[in-house]
Amino acid sequence: MKSRAESLVVLSVFLSLIITIAQKCDYILFVGGQKVPAIFMFGDSYGDTGNNDFIITTVASDFPPYGRDFEDRIPTGRFSNGKLMSDYFAEGLGIKELLPPYLDPNLNAQDLLTGVCFGSSGTGLDNLTAQISNVIPVWKQIEYFKEYRNRIEGLVAEEEATTIIRNAIFFITIGTNDFIVNYFTLPTRPLQFTVQEYTDFLLNIYTVYIKELYNLGATRFALINVPPLGCLPIERTLRSLLNRGACDEEINQAADGFNSGINAMIDGLKSTFPRLRIVSLDYNNLISEFIENPSRYGFEVIARGCCGTGTVEISFICNELSPFTCPDASKYLFFDSVHFTQKAYQIISNTFLTRDVPQLL
């Protein structure tokens, strides 16, 4: 078995190739043997393209400097300076340039038929996580998907709607907030669970949701694992007295345990549902590679975000009045203290599309 160091060396070579290609074009158009008619994104802020704009919550990003490098410099509710993975997946698969949020009242028929985002920034698998910030829990996202299916059955024949859903790819990014907003911040869950018990609790919920989507017609899933959570700038800051600004290993170990659990969950689902196609997208390993070898990817700053001081700014604390906001976000891995820059999302998405998504086709 390869060591983590050996794996990162192999990954860095692969990513160097991705960077070379990405510098020559805006995105990688993945051409598979079969056209993907639509994609759907479920989960949290790493994929949410703006659903939180349409609910009352403190987890918002529909104001500058968010979106400053987006088309027309308009903030859209995406937690970044520009596009997210959701957009690059839709673009790279040749579906459309941007993945719209499902709650946008201006969606047209083509928007619906080619896929939407159900994700909600700040949410988690644990319902308590969503309640903390008054955001959309995953069970509600699935309810919205049921509603979505009824809507497209009003646009096309039922058989065609079924085909769209069967051949679509369901991307899910979830788990981060369960640990950094909930378990390692509030006392409720630590009093009930050890870290391992809480991880098992989350994975049991995750399994139920995957099965529910499968029973609704989904067959292709790409599960994005969680990044090295202890290396997020906000965690470096909050635990700086213990770690002197270094990554927090306790939280990183929790993330590693959750990610290992995702892999085991995938193996179990494959054996239970033969028609299921499902892969894990290793977000964690990519971000670790960026942190360990930033200059290879053009990053100069990896321990703090571009917005303000880059140590604690997020949501309303990251705003037009935030002092010291960087002039060039492309030199930064993080845009705020939790979320990544458009440049990072582009590299990550292109890597997943080239290396992992073909397994679903």
Side-chain angles (χ1 to χ4, degrees):
M1 179 178 292
K2 291 181 178 179
S3 67
R4 184 177 181 83
E6 291 173 324
S7 297
L8 286 175
V9 169
V10 173
L11 178 61
S12 68
V13 173
F14 180 81
L15 286 177
S16 296
L17 176 61
I18 294 295
I19 292 291
T20 301
I21 298 172
Q23 288 172 342
K24 296 180 180 179
C25 57
D26 291 334
Y27 62 91
I28 297 172
L29 177 61
F30 175 73
V31 181
Q34 187 176 6
K35 171 72 174 176
V36 177
I39 69 167
F40 302 101
M41 175 65 77
F42 291 79
D44 58 32
S45 54
Y46 290 135
D48 178 14
T49 56
N51 282 310
N52 279 21
D53 291 358
F54 305 99
I55 63 175
I56 299 173
T57 177
T58 57
V59 185
S61 58
D62 56 341
F63 44 83
Y66 291 109
R68 73 179 198 186
D69 296 313
F70 201 76
E71 183 177 345
D72 297 326
R73 301 174 64 88
I74 297 175
T76 61
R78 290 167 169 82
F79 271 89
S80 186
N81 58 306
K83 294 180 180 179
L84 303 183
M85 290 185 288
S86 306
D87 303 307
Y88 285 118
F89 290 149
E91 191 176 27
L93 287 162
I95 298 171
K96 52 190 173 185
E97 184 179 359
L98 301 172
L99 190 68
Y102 178 67
L103 295 185
D104 185 344
N106 298 313
L107 293 178
N108 60 37
Q110 188 62 19
D111 290 330
L112 290 168
L113 293 172
T114 51
V116 291
C117 171
F118 295 97
S120 177
S121 301
T123 201
L125 290 160
D126 185 348
N127 284 336
L128 177 59
T129 305
Q131 292 168 9
I132 291 167
S133 304
N134 192 39
V135 294
I136 306 168
V138 179
W139 67 263
K140 182 63 174 179
Q141 294 180 30
I142 295 175
E143 290 300 308
Y144 280 137
F145 177 72
K146 294 176 184 177
E147 178 184 276
Y148 162 87
R149 175 159 186 152
N150 290 334
R151 290 177 69 178
I152 65 168
E153 286 178 354
L155 298 172
V156 297
E158 183 179 351
E159 182 178 352
E160 184 176 349
T162 298
T163 299
I164 289 171
I165 291 170
R166 183 178 64 247
N167 292 327
I169 297 177
F170 288 67
F171 292 91
I172 305 176
T173 171
I174 197 75
T176 291
N177 297 307
D178 291 307
F179 289 103
I180 69 168
V181 174
N182 191 341
Y183 191 89
F184 285 102
T185 301
L186 301 177
T188 305
R189 292 310 191 208
L191 290 173
Q192 297 173 317
F193 303 108
T194 64
V195 172
Q196 184 58 57
E197 289 169 344
Y198 188 60
T199 298
D200 293 340
F201 170 73
L202 296 177
L203 291 168
N204 286 335
I205 297 170
Y206 208 164
T207 302
V208 170
Y209 288 149
I210 297 294
K211 289 179 179 178
E212 188 168 0
L213 287 169
Y214 180 82
N215 289 333
L216 291 168
T219 62
R220 301 177 179 185
F221 291 87
L223 310 186
I224 303 165
N225 68 18
V226 299
L229 301 177
C231 294
L232 301 180
I234 195 166
E235 294 302 330
R236 290 179 187 256
T237 302
L238 294 176
R239 294 172 174 255
S240 60
L241 292 179
L242 295 174
N243 304 313
R244 298 183 180 179
C247 296
D248 185 84
E249 286 309 310
E250 180 185 13
I251 301 180
N252 275 349
Q253 287 173 12
D256 289 343
F258 180 72
N259 291 340
S260 295
I262 289 177
N263 293 334
M265 178 185 72
I266 287 174
D267 290 340
L269 288 166
K270 283 180 177 178
S271 64
T272 305
F273 303 103
R275 290 194 306 116
L276 181 68
R277 297 183 184 182
I278 185 168
V279 296
S280 174
L281 304 184
D282 199 348
Y283 204 19
N284 189 289
N285 208 24
L286 282 173
I287 300 303
S288 296
E289 164 63 16
F290 295 158
I291 290 171
E292 293 188 24
N293 300 290
S295 61
R296 290 182 184 173
Y297 311 102
F299 297 120
E300 296 179 9
V301 183
I302 51 89
R304 56 186 173 86
C306 165
C307 185
T309 64
T311 56
V312 295
E313 289 86 349
I314 183 175
S315 192
F316 289 105
I317 306 176
C318 172
N319 56 63
E320 283 186 292
L321 300 179
S322 298
F324 315 119
T325 296
C326 76
D328 184 1
S330 69
K331 295 179 180 179
Y332 284 67
L333 174 58
F334 293 92
F335 185 66
D336 62 18
S337 62
V338 172
H339 305 96
F340 302 98
T341 56
Q342 175 177 259
K343 176 181 175 179
Y345 283 130
Q346 182 181 25
I347 299 171
I348 292 163
S349 304
N350 288 340
T351 302
F352 290 157
L353 286 170
T354 305
R355 185 187 66 188
D356 304 305
V357 171
Q359 298 175 53
L360 301 174
L361 305 176

